[in-house]
Amino acid sequence: MQKIKIIPLVGIEFDDITIALHSSCEDVKNLLGEPYSTRDDSLYYFNNELRFDFDDDGKVEFIEFLGGIDGELQPVIYDVPAFQSKADILYNILRKENRGDIDDSENGYSYGFLNISVGVYRSSIPKDVEEMIKEADEAGEPMDEGEIEEERRKADYWSTIGIGIEDYYRQLPGNSVF
């Protein structure tokens, strides 16, 4: 497994490769090779687990890790495993490092840490899982332990983490994270 470090407002490090925010599209391709896939102004690498978004000048404005807890890429941010740490633990570390405004408009599903330009996302929160279990029981079709464990896992860990250029999350429409 590669050592991957996320450095907010700077970029990412892969073992001996550094890709900075504001790098050109050509720089990214020179360092990582041809992308696994492309879409609009984005390049995807490592089976679509790593995304680079580019601004109108062809410079990196956003880098996102999409693999979550089961992904091949397991980045570290502030010396903490981003996907292997419980969501609340990473949230508290990012909140502390951010020292200020947080976009929490998505009620726990995602957060944008505005001062450090970091965003995290998950598809469900613990409350959702409890409601899902209750609804299944009421419908007479209770969830099995494996399903419950999988749903709790999705709610307890972040699915994606991204970093943007300075003020990246402040300039999004409605200041929404994703």
Side-chain angles (χ1 to χ4, degrees):
M1 184 181 294
Q2 295 179 321
K3 289 184 179 180
I4 305 165
K5 186 175 182 179
I6 299 172
I7 308 163
L9 301 171
V10 175
I12 59 174
E13 292 178 357
F14 274 87
D15 294 325
D16 58 349
I17 296 172
T18 299
I19 300 174
L21 292 164
H22 300 290
S23 294
S24 70
C25 184
E26 292 75 29
D27 289 341
V28 173
K29 288 180 178 179
N30 287 338
L31 291 168
L32 295 178
E34 284 302 309
Y36 182 82
S37 65
T38 60
R39 188 164 26 118
D40 301 324
D41 292 324
S42 300
L43 300 180
Y44 293 80
Y45 286 90
F46 303 99
N47 295 317
N48 293 329
E49 286 192 31
L50 177 60
R51 175 178 125 202
F52 295 90
D53 288 353
F54 298 88
D55 63 19
D56 293 337
D57 296 325
K59 304 291 186 184
V60 174
E61 68 176 354
F62 182 70
I63 303 169
E64 185 175 33
F65 290 87
L66 304 160
I69 193 169
D70 296 321
E72 191 69 29
L73 301 181
Q74 293 296 317
V76 171
I77 185 167
Y78 298 115
D79 297 321
V80 176
F83 296 133
Q84 302 296 321
S85 300
K86 291 271 192 162
D88 291 346
I89 291 171
L90 186 60
Y91 169 86
N92 286 328
I93 290 166
L94 295 174
R95 181 178 52 78
K96 178 181 171 222
E97 295 293 335
N98 185 63
R99 294 184 183 94
D101 296 337
I102 299 172
D103 176 358
D104 61 357
S105 62
E106 299 207 12
N107 301 316
Y109 294 92
S110 65
Y111 293 96
F113 298 88
L114 304 181
N115 293 337
I116 57 175
S117 289
V118 174
V120 291
Y121 167 81
R122 59 186 167 182
S123 60
S124 64
I125 58 176
K127 179 180 150 191
D128 294 342
V129 178
E130 298 313 312
E131 289 174 6
M132 191 183 305
I133 293 167
K134 182 181 175 192
E135 288 172 7
D137 287 345
E138 288 172 354
E141 299 174 11
M143 298 171 67
D144 67 40
E145 286 303 314
E147 291 173 311
I148 293 171
E149 183 178 320
E150 180 61 26
E151 293 300 326
R152 283 193 173 135
R153 204 160 165 258
K154 287 183 205 172
D156 287 343
Y157 296 90
W158 297 111
S159 300
T160 70
I161 185 168
I163 60 168
I165 59 173
E166 186 175 359
D167 293 330
Y168 179 81
Y169 288 101
R170 293 183 200 276
Q171 52 191 327
L172 293 177
N175 200 26
S176 176
V177 179
F178 297 95

